[in-house]
Amino acid sequence: MPHKRLLIKLKDHGIDEKVLQWIENRLKGRKQRVHVKGFASNWLPVTSGVPQGSGLGPVILIYVNDMDSDLHSWILKFADDTKIFNGIKDKSDCAIVQQDS
């Protein structure tokens, strides 16, 4: 879940501005990288998701609650895990999945 979309959705649900600011502060400024066989990628900003164990997990449920409306792809949801998928035959199919995610 992209952070910007999450914050907009929380605001639409009536979450107080101070709480929104707190959530935004908890999400911004995070970076990650990948280590594989002794090599590390560059640090990149994290612009989606919430840190595991951060207490923000329940916020995900607000985000995914109506996620399956207006999708052109299939969706599987289990607790806070969501998978969007579709058959890909050409570039336009890729664009559809990207638009849905």
Side-chain angles (χ1 to χ4, degrees):
M1 96 196 56
H3 295 157
K4 288 181 182 180
R5 285 189 199 171
L6 173 62
L7 293 168
I8 289 168
K9 194 162 196 177
L10 291 172
K11 185 175 183 176
D12 290 346
H13 275 79
I15 302 297
D16 179 75
E17 193 65 38
K18 288 183 180 182
V19 175
L20 285 173
Q21 187 64 48
W22 180 83
I23 292 171
E24 183 177 13
N25 288 337
R26 294 285 305 210
L27 296 174
K28 72 180 180 182
R30 296 183 314 128
K31 294 183 178 186
Q32 68 182 16
R33 67 179 177 173
V34 177
H35 285 263
V36 177
K37 295 184 180 182
F39 295 95
S41 68
N42 293 329
W43 287 96
L44 295 173
V46 176
T47 59
S48 64
V50 297
Q52 287 184 318
S54 68
L56 294 175
V59 173
I60 296 172
L61 299 178
I62 291 173
Y63 187 81
V64 301
N65 187 37
D66 61 354
M67 179 181 258
D68 48 354
S69 61
D70 299 324
L71 290 183
H72 299 95
S73 302
W74 292 288
I75 187 169
L76 294 174
K77 293 190 284 188
F78 180 76
D80 64 349
D81 292 326
T82 304
K83 182 183 289 188
I84 297 174
F85 60 99
N86 207 337
I88 305 294
K89 296 177 187 157
D90 56 40
K91 286 186 178 184
S92 65
D93 291 335
C94 291
I96 290 170
V97 172
Q98 288 300 316
Q99 183 180 3
D100 283 343
S101 54

